[in-house]
Amino acid sequence: MKVFATFWRQRNYRVAAVVALLAVLWLLSGLVFSVGQSSAPGDGDSRATAPGESLRVQAKRLRAQSYLTRVQVNSRTEPNRSVRLRAELDGAIVALPVEEGRAVKRGEVICEIEAEDRPENLVRAKAALHKAELDYQGAQRLKKKGLQSNTDLAGQEVALADARAEFKRAQVAVDNLKIRAPFDGVVNSRAVELGDFIRRGEECATLLDLDPILVVGEVSEAQVGGLTIGGPASAQLQGGQTVRGRLRYISRQADELTRAYRVEVAVENSSAALRAGLSGRLALPIGEILAHRINASLLTLDDRGDLGVRILDAGNRVRFANVELFGDADEGVWVGGLPARVTLITVGQEYVSVGEVVSVEFEPGEGDLPVPGETAMEVLPTASEVVSPAGGDAQ
């Protein structure tokens, strides 16, 4: 008693004892109330079911749809044509009518070379040609009168041919003074400036044809067999822009280093909004299969870590079906490996176990009607089984 009295007179000990007593009382009260609630009829977890009742889930009947499988490869944009315009004469640059980056029409002058004496040479060649024609005509008249030998007539014919060749040469030289665009395009760069001396074969400017513009990539030997010339294709360029076109070219020979095949997709670019050299991701169709579009949140993993969903058989028994992910959709994902007609659990799948029989409430618009010809084991083929034997990666 004396020890207890000494303990009680110390304030810290008194406070600790009171707190400990209150804690014990609070724990005992929670235990009592929990026991009373669990024994109360009609209460408990809302997911619990009474003995003999099956768990209720929501489900949706799905029918397989056509899905175009694609292979995706890294890509870049390239011009349809790229030409380096080169001089065919020596001379100084006297005019550059077109600025860099400007669009031009076919036949428009890009660079002009100093004429020097070339126009005069053309006039002289034209006069010489006229004289040669007159000499040849006179020789023919003399030959008919027997006053001209065959040798002299042949000589006049050779002189006429030389005069024609000289005239043509002089005419081409004058025409080549102006370097013109061989097609509609854009002057991407100029290699000379006003006053520069350019020699035959040297570059004047680079002309690009950007309509259509090409989206170029490389596919592996396992994928090239599923591609078809003229098939639709799309590409997502850097920055998120998506373009669409047609597959116009598939190389017949693999690159010696990469062992991949070059492919080209032509994309309309009349507004010149797309530039060459943009990187992106090219999607090429390689086959059409049947697949289901479902909400991505319904996907789960089995005990082995394989992807799948929970479905119902004809007796409303829960089954787990493994699926193969094909691609993204606007409102979900595309999967394969399910029956052509399937009942998919959409709400409550996390509370049911495989083999359990459940009560089904179909989603609005689906109805609880039998599906004609439904077969639980009619499993659709995967993408790898549908694509041609040459390969084809269904990415």
Side-chain angles (χ1 to χ4, degrees):
M1 292 298 293
K2 184 177 180 180
V3 176
F4 177 78
T6 302
F7 168 78
W8 188 253
R9 283 197 298 268
Q10 295 185 13
R11 183 175 180 273
N12 293 339
Y13 292 156
R14 291 199 305 270
V15 173
V18 172
V19 171
L21 179 60
L22 292 176
V24 171
L25 294 176
W26 179 75
L27 292 174
L28 292 176
S29 65
L31 180 61
V32 172
F33 282 115
S34 64
V35 172
Q37 290 177 354
S38 62
S39 61
D43 293 338
D45 192 346
S46 59
R47 297 189 299 268
T49 57
E53 292 186 6
S54 60
L55 190 66
R56 179 173 293 274
V57 298
Q58 288 188 8
K60 184 177 184 179
R61 293 190 187 276
L62 296 178
R63 185 192 301 257
Q65 305 175 49
S66 294
Y67 175 73
L68 198 63
T69 58
R70 292 175 172 86
V71 56
Q72 295 189 355
V73 296
N74 293 327
S75 63
R76 64 189 180 279
T77 56
E78 290 185 0
N80 183 38
R81 287 177 288 183
S82 177
V83 175
R84 293 182 177 181
L85 304 178
R86 300 181 184 275
E88 297 189 39
L89 299 171
D90 296 346
I93 299 295
V94 295
L96 295 169
V98 179
E99 297 293 333
E100 289 181 327
R102 210 198 86 181
V104 295
K105 295 294 184 180
R106 178 181 178 182
E108 195 168 342
V109 177
I110 308 299
C111 304
E112 186 173 351
I113 301 174
E114 186 177 6
E116 298 178 350
D117 61 346
R118 294 181 179 92
E120 288 75 14
N121 290 336
L122 177 60
V123 174
R124 183 179 60 186
K126 185 176 181 180
L129 174 60
H130 181 62
K131 179 180 180 303
E133 289 174 344
L134 293 177
D135 291 343
Y136 181 70
Q137 291 171 4
Q140 283 183 319
R141 286 194 297 270
L142 291 175
K143 179 67 174 64
K144 290 179 181 179
K145 294 178 181 181
L147 302 176
Q148 185 79 31
S149 66
N150 291 335
T151 302
D152 292 337
L153 181 62
Q156 294 297 329
E157 188 174 357
V158 171
L160 177 60
D162 290 341
R164 286 174 177 170
E166 188 63 29
F167 173 74
K168 183 65 174 179
R169 188 179 299 110
Q171 189 175 47
V172 169
V174 172
D175 292 341
N176 287 339
L177 292 174
K178 295 180 179 180
I179 303 176
R180 303 176 183 272
F183 51 80
D184 296 353
V186 175
V187 178
N188 188 60
S189 62
R190 283 195 322 225
V192 295
E193 292 295 338
L194 196 64
D196 283 348
F197 189 86
I198 191 170
R199 295 192 177 276
R200 179 186 178 92
E202 291 182 346
E203 180 181 342
C204 161
T206 300
L207 185 67
L208 303 181
D209 178 12
L210 298 177
D211 185 28
I213 197 168
L214 303 182
V215 183
V216 178
E218 290 185 339
V219 299
S220 68
E221 55 186 336
Q223 300 164 341
V224 70
L227 301 179
T228 304
I229 293 291
S234 63
Q236 187 170 16
L237 303 179
Q238 191 71 24
Q241 182 180 8
T242 300
V243 295
R244 291 176 173 81
R246 294 281 176 179
L247 181 62
R248 80 166 194 179
Y249 171 76
I250 304 173
S251 175
R252 290 288 180 176
Q253 183 175 1
D255 185 90
E256 293 183 359
L257 296 179
T258 63
R259 306 306 304 164
Y261 293 82
R262 177 185 171 96
V263 293
E264 297 178 357
V265 174
V267 176
E268 189 273 335
N269 189 33
S270 57
S271 63
L274 299 176
R275 301 174 180 270
L278 299 176
S279 60
R281 191 77 173 163
L282 180 62
L284 300 166
I286 59 174
E288 189 173 1
I289 63 174
L290 292 176
H292 294 82
R293 184 176 62 184
I294 67 173
N295 194 312
S297 63
L298 300 179
L299 295 173
T300 185
L301 300 176
D302 60 12
D303 295 337
R304 297 176 298 178
D306 296 329
L307 196 65
V309 293
R310 288 185 172 88
I311 62 175
L312 298 176
D313 61 13
N316 290 343
R317 190 177 300 276
V318 179
R319 293 177 52 197
F320 187 89
N322 292 111
V323 297
E324 179 182 354
L325 186 62
F326 290 159
D328 297 331
D330 294 336
E331 298 179 355
V333 293
W334 288 93
V335 297
L338 294 174
R341 303 172 188 268
V342 63
T343 302
L344 178 67
I345 300 177
T346 57
V347 177
Q349 72 273 16
E350 64 271 22
Y351 304 128
V352 296
S353 303
V354 175
E356 183 177 358
V357 178
V358 297
S359 298
V360 184
E361 178 183 349
F362 285 92
E363 290 189 1
E366 295 298 327
D368 192 9
L369 298 176
V371 181
E374 181 174 5
T375 306
M377 299 307 294
E378 186 187 354
V379 178
L380 295 178
T382 62
S384 58
E385 296 171 334
V386 174
V387 176
S388 62
D393 184 8
Q395 295 183 3

